[in-house]
Every structure is written in C-alpha cells, then in structure tokens.
Amino acid sequence: MIAFDELDTFYFGLFRDQLHPSMRDIVIDHGFLHHAPEKGQIKTLHDLSYQFYHIYVPLVLDDIFVMEHAQLVELGKAWLLTIIDLIVTDHQLDQELPDLQVIPLVINQIRQQAFELYRHLLPFSSTFWDAYHHAHQLYWNTLAHENYCVDQHREPYTLAVMQTIAHGKAAYYRMGIHASGELSGRPDLIEPIQAVYDRLVFVDLLLDDAVDWEVDFQRGRYTVPIVQAAQIAQIPIDQLASWTMPQLEQIILNHQLQLELSQKAMTLLEESMAILQTHHYAESKIGQFIRERKRIAEQSVQRYHKLHSLNNFINRLG
C-alpha cells in the first residue's frame, strides 16, 4: 500500500513550507515537474505522471524489503525528493524548465532535504553512503555523456552507448534499493533488485526513443533510431540536419528499427521477471508492474509489425 497521504502531507506541507516563498509555487508547478507547456499546479502526488516503480521505489519494494512503517515512510520521503531531483536535473540539462533564476536553488533545496532524510535514517558508517556518492558521480557523468552524444553530436548515440547511459541512470536507483536493503536487514537482495531496475531503466529509454524519434529529430536530438538510420544510409552525423523527416522515416520503417527496439525491451522485461522468479518474488508489486510494462511493450511490437506491413504494401503500390 503506497502511503500517499503521508507523502502528500510531507511534500505539500513540511517540505514546501520550509522553502523561501519565491520557491514554494515552483515545486508544485507542472512546468517544473513535467516540463509541461500547460500552466497549473499539482495538488497531490497522484497528479505526477512518473512511473510508479520509479517514484515510489522503497514503497513499491516493501513486500521484498520489509521494515517498520515509520522507517518506510521516511525513506519514501527521501526517495520522492531524490527522483524529483533526478528528473528535474535531466530536464534542466535539456533546457526544458521554466526560465526562472531560482531554479538551481530549488534543485539544491530538494537535494539537500533528501540528504538530511537519508542522514537521519542511516549512520555515516553505513555502506549506503558509498552507494550515495557513487550514484551521484556516475549519474552526473552519464547526463554529460548523453548530452555529448544526443545533443552535441560529438559521438554517435548507438544502442551500445544507450546501454551505458541506462546503466549510469539506473545507478541512481541504487540509493533507494541499497537503503531498503540495509534497513530491512536484507542486503543480499540489493544486487538482484538493482539488476531488475537496470533493465527497467533501459526498457524506458528503448520504448521512449522508438516513439519519440520524430520529436527528437525536430529538436536536433539524435537518438538511437535516428543514428541507426543514418548509419544504414551512410550519412555522416554532421549532415543529418539536411535530411527530411520522410527520408529518415522510410529507412526506419524499411529496416524495422522501432520494432527492434521494442523487441529488445521485451527481452529485458523477461530477464527482469526471471530474476524475480529466481528469488521467489514474481508476485511482488514490482513483478506486477513488470507484467504491465511487458503488456505495453507487446502492444508496441504489434504496432510496429503493422506499420512495417503497411509500409511494404505502400512501397509495392509505388
């Protein structure tokens, strides 16, 4: 059971109230939390569009890492701020946040408050703090690497690079997983559950790139299907901007590049479930989320099969 009321009370009350008045509306703003064009404020954490298995890591895993309710809620608060920090920092790098000077101060407040919550839960002698420092260092380097490839076009963003990026982004989850393992007395489960999240983060990148490649191309972001199409057509990366959307789309459809990414996502989800089954947690909450994610991936595979068939039919007519 997700402790929504307790997390709502914390985020919209205790955390928000201790901020300077100039920051209080920002932390509940759609544009800040979702880089959404529409104006408005979220009223409850139910309004957040983030995936459950991302934003509520300790609470989703509470049937694997069992601990006292009070500890679980405090860890849930720390993780809530951690995931918002992760997502908003990513948006900041992509220049998708509101143009407000205090934004860096807001992010620092979020990060510092998360640190304080972890500090009260886990002594500095805990091995958690090694995971904490490593996760931050690796995540910042990972964002820089992603920007270097996708936005600056200094290195092709291949499937292998995406896997490296996924691993770096998933390292951030080790904080929530490691803390859960220590507080529940089950450090033996940290590595297998981390392996599950490694795959889930990779799945999200694969499915998002397959769907969003047109928007990404319009913004000058060269993601995996775009780079794969360029390599097939032997187009240098620095000449991609001169290509049109229909030219790229034809290569992507002809070579079933979206289908390939979706099938890779299916394989990763099956691997995740196999890990849970090995440790007898296939019926856990995270297992249920993986089944739902697999259903979505299956729909993507079916959709891209149909698109490829339709494209072949149109090509034959032409």
Side-chain angles (χ1 to χ4, degrees), residues 129-245:
W129 292 103
D130 289 335
Y132 177 91
H133 294 301
H134 175 72
H136 280 90
Q137 181 182 43
L138 182 54
Y139 187 70
W140 308 142
N141 280 333
T142 294
L143 289 188
H145 189 189
E146 184 180 45
N147 176 266
Y148 185 80
C149 298
V150 174
D151 297 293
Q152 297 185 44
H153 317 143
R154 304 284 295 277
E155 176 187 339
Y157 190 67
T158 62
L159 193 59
V161 171
M162 180 198 270
Q163 184 168 5
T164 300
I165 297 298
H167 175 73
K169 288 190 172 185
Y172 219 82
Y173 292 80
R174 184 172 290 273
M175 284 188 282
I177 295 167
H178 201 112
S180 295
E182 286 204 31
L183 292 171
S184 66
R186 293 304 306 269
D188 56 303
L189 293 175
I190 292 173
E191 292 305 324
I193 300 304
Q194 179 64 34
V196 169
Y197 268 84
D198 282 343
R199 287 160 175 78
L200 288 177
V201 173
F202 197 2
V203 165
D204 286 346
L205 294 180
L206 288 162
L207 295 179
D208 287 349
D209 275 14
V211 170
D212 296 337
W213 76 266
E214 291 176 278
V215 174
D216 288 330
F217 183 65
Q218 289 173 337
R219 294 173 55 204
R221 304 188 79 241
Y222 297 166
T223 52
V224 165
I226 297 167
V227 169
Q228 288 178 328
Q231 290 175 335
I232 289 168
Q234 298 182 330
I235 309 166
I237 292 294
D238 60 3
Q239 294 180 24
L240 256 177
S242 65
W243 270 57
T244 65
M245 195 84 72

Side-chain angles (χ1 to χ4, degrees), residues 5 35 42 101 104 113 115 119 121 127 157 174 200-201 212 215 217 225 233 294 311:
D5 290 345
H35 69 87
I42 67 167
Q101 288 183 319
Q113 184 62 49
F115 170 83
R119 185 175 65 86
L121 282 168
T127 58
Y157 190 67
R174 184 172 290 273
L200 288 177
V201 173
D212 296 337
V215 174
F217 183 65
K294 187 177 177 184
N311 182 64

Side-chain angles (χ1 to χ4, degrees), residues 50-67:
Y50 311 151
Q51 295 282 359
F52 259 49
Y53 56 81
H54 290 323
I55 193 167
Y56 301 117
V57 167
L59 299 136
V60 166
L61 299 176
D62 68 345
D63 51 359
I64 296 175
F65 299 111
V66 181
M67 67 189 82

